[in-house]
Amino acid sequence: MLDNPKINIKIKLSALWTSLIFCFLYGDYFELYTPGKVDSLLTGENVLDSPMKLLIASIILVIPSLMVALSVLLNAKLNRILNISFGMLFTLMMLLIGINSMTPWYEFYVFLAFLESLITIYIIYLAWKWPRV
């Protein structure tokens, strides 16, 4: 039989946030292959068309990056609260993005958005069921 050691919940949460970030990155990379995307980046006629919008997007997307480390470093109580809160925020955000992206060229984006939603739902579940002493 193969050994299947128990993994600390903090490591599980950190790994899930890492997976989420990779899905974000792949989605944004593959979006470059959709018609007109590169042209809109060159002309500046896109969703992130101002310094303030770029800052807001950066703030939103830095959260999962920080959660990779915070899930390992923070104490259990604060860790649980942040994982549940940010998990809910990103689940809602990704479901809305997935629903609003339902076009033939963005089927990959819909797939990733719903996969990301499943990841964040699992983050919420694990944090909610945080083991007690």
Side-chain angles (χ1 to χ4, degrees), residues 75-94:
N75 68 54
K77 187 175 182 179
L78 182 56
N79 204 331
R80 181 175 185 260
I81 291 168
L82 289 179
N83 273 282
I84 291 170
S85 301
F86 289 136
M88 288 178 167
L89 172 70
F90 279 88
T91 299
L92 178 62
M93 204 169 63
M94 296 322 302

Side-chain angles (χ1 to χ4, degrees), residues 25-69:
L25 291 172
Y26 284 127
D28 290 343
Y29 174 75
F30 291 144
E31 187 182 19
L32 294 173
Y33 291 92
T34 61
K37 183 62 180 181
V38 173
D39 292 335
S40 72
L41 292 174
L42 293 173
T43 63
E45 296 172 13
N46 56 64
V47 176
L48 300 176
D49 59 358
S50 73
M52 185 54 68
K53 288 180 184 177
L54 282 170
L55 176 61
I56 292 168
S58 297
I59 291 168
I60 291 169
L61 290 176
V62 80
I63 293 169
S65 300
L66 290 175
M67 288 306 295
V68 172

